[in-house]
């Protein structure tokens, strides 16, 4: 029975688990004293000598935090493939009614919803993908980063906008609820990056431009490409480039894509992060001008007081 626990927990065991499996206090002390086992935290041991794997460390933290402890936030994101690097403290959420002694290198969170947020089967215990995304979004330093988490999770096929909206609806108080709800609707319609979400919100929708399609699949010369934004009715393709600079291979790919768009009769426009985030009104004015030249009979409207759309028109 003890062997099963050790296999499941990557060689890490709590004192109470070892005793429940029939090990005596004397035997436990002997194994630690001989160096066959090593003490990680008070009451938490590794049943081997030598360095700890990442999985062993995570198990040790969960066991140290006690009953109901659940890996969350960036640590849960790490386990679910939402981030590509391991950095910062280990995040653990426990029930709000509990008090846990701080542990170096561990960020403790308290929540009355931890039992509902925990994944029912995955080990080590962690919050579900949806709860993880929302935890990271509401604790983000700004709205752009908050919107980036649901976009990334959906782009990586770890969840869907529908599941995130259901999870969002279960929370009573949520920072940026309206903005996250709108962003999830945009992701559901094809937006896959924070820049695309910003474009829809701050350029297209805010200025009354015709709605466009996002991430449109195209086949050119036997090669599949995806156009970030396409206004089919006006023959316009808009590429959104969130990187400051491209490696040569990617620049060459983008040139091929733009050239293919021109040959297909769709005029390409390209905007970067600074354009969309710092000059959305000017971008809207430029796009509106291209649309009008292509037959649009509508009129864009200012996004609010001080909008530069009228001056740029």
């Amino acid at each position: 029975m003890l062997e099963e626990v050790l296999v499941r927990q990557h060689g890490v065991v709590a004192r109470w688990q070892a005793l429940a499996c029939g090990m005596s206090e004397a035997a436990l002390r002997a194994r630690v004293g001989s160096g066959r086992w090593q003490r990680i935290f008070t009451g938490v041991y590794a049943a081997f000598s030598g360095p700890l794997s990442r999985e062993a460390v995570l198990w040790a933290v969960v066991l140290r935090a006690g009953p109901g402890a659940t890996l969350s936030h960036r640590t849960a994101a790490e386990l679910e493939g939402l981030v590509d690097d391991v950095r910062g403290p280990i995040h653990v959420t426990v029930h709000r009614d509990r008090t846990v002694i701080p542990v170096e290198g561990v960020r403790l969170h308290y929540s009355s919803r931890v039992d509902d947020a925990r994944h029912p089967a995955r080990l080590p215990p962690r919050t579900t993908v949806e709860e993880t995304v929302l935890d990271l979004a509401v604790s983000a330093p700004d709205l752009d980063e908050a919107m980036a988490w649901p976009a990334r999770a959906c782009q990586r096929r770890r969840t869907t906008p529908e599941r995130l909206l259901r999870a969002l609806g279960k929370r009573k108080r949520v920072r940026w609820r309206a903005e996250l709800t709108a962003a999830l609707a945009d992701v559901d319609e094809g937006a896959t990056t924070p820049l695309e979400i910003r474009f829809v919100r701050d350029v297209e929708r805010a200025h009354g431009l015709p709605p466009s399609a996002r991430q449109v699949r195209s086949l050119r010369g036997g090669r599949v490409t995806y156009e970030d934004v396409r206004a089919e009715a006006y023959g316009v393709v808009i590429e959104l480039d969130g990187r400051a600079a491209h490696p040569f291979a990617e620049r060459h790919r983008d040139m091929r894509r733009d050239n293919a768009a021109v040959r297909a009769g769709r005029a390409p426009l390209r905007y970067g992060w600074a354009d969309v985030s710092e000059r959305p009104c000017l971008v809207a004015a430029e796009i509106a001008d291209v649309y009008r030249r292509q037959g649009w009979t509508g009129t864009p409207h200012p996004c609010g007081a001080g909008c530069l759309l009228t001056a740029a028109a």
Side-chain angles (χ1 to χ4, degrees), residues 76 80 82 113 116-120 122 126-138 149-150 153-154 157-168 170-171 184:
E80 296 297 342
L82 295 176
R113 300 185 56 258
D116 295 328
R118 186 184 307 112
H119 195 283
R122 293 188 179 177
R126 68 196 72 170
T127 50
T128 64
V129 171
E130 293 73 32
E131 294 289 343
T132 299
V133 169
L134 294 179
D135 282 341
L136 290 166
V138 300
W149 287 110
C154 294
R157 300 180 183 273
R158 297 299 192 272
T159 186
T160 65
E162 293 82 5
R163 284 155 58 183
L164 285 168
L165 283 170
R166 284 198 298 270
L168 186 63
K170 294 178 182 179
R171 297 193 174 202
L184 285 168

Side-chain angles (χ1 to χ4, degrees), residues 70-229:
T70 304
L71 297 171
S72 62
H73 295 77
R74 190 175 178 88
T75 306
E78 168 196 331
L79 292 172
E80 296 297 342
L82 295 176
V83 295
D84 299 323
D85 59 336
V86 176
R87 59 181 171 85
I90 295 173
H91 292 263
V92 179
T93 297
V94 297
H95 198 277
R96 190 176 299 278
D97 293 339
R98 295 191 54 224
T99 300
V100 178
I101 298 174
V103 179
E104 184 178 356
V106 176
R107 172 75 183 276
L108 289 168
H109 304 267
Y110 293 87
S111 170
S112 59
R113 300 185 56 258
V114 63
D115 293 334
D116 295 328
R118 186 184 307 112
H119 195 283
R122 293 188 179 177
L123 296 174
R126 68 196 72 170
T127 50
T128 64
V129 171
E130 293 73 32
E131 294 289 343
T132 299
V133 169
L134 294 179
D135 282 341
L136 290 166
V138 300
S139 61
D142 53 58
L143 183 56
D144 285 331
E145 184 173 327
M147 294 191 299
W149 287 110
R152 179 184 299 180
C154 294
Q155 185 180 31
R156 296 190 178 193
R157 300 180 183 273
R158 297 299 192 272
T159 186
T160 65
E162 293 82 5
R163 284 155 58 183
L164 285 168
L165 283 170
R166 284 198 298 270
L168 186 63
K170 294 178 182 179
R171 297 193 174 202
K172 292 182 179 179
R173 289 179 293 181
V174 178
R175 184 186 184 198
W176 296 316
R177 181 188 295 275
E179 292 85 351
L180 286 170
T181 300
L184 285 168
D186 294 333
V187 172
D188 194 33
E189 292 177 4
T192 62
T193 67
L195 182 55
E196 289 178 30
I197 293 173
R198 256 193 181 252
F199 174 83
V200 173
R201 182 191 68 188
D202 297 342
V203 175
E204 193 173 87
R205 188 180 297 140
H207 296 93
L209 297 179
S212 57
R214 264 82 70 190
Q215 290 300 310
V216 179
R217 187 177 186 271
S218 297
L219 185 63
R220 295 286 178 266
R223 185 189 299 270
V224 175
T225 63
Y226 289 87
E227 296 165 346
D228 293 334
V229 177

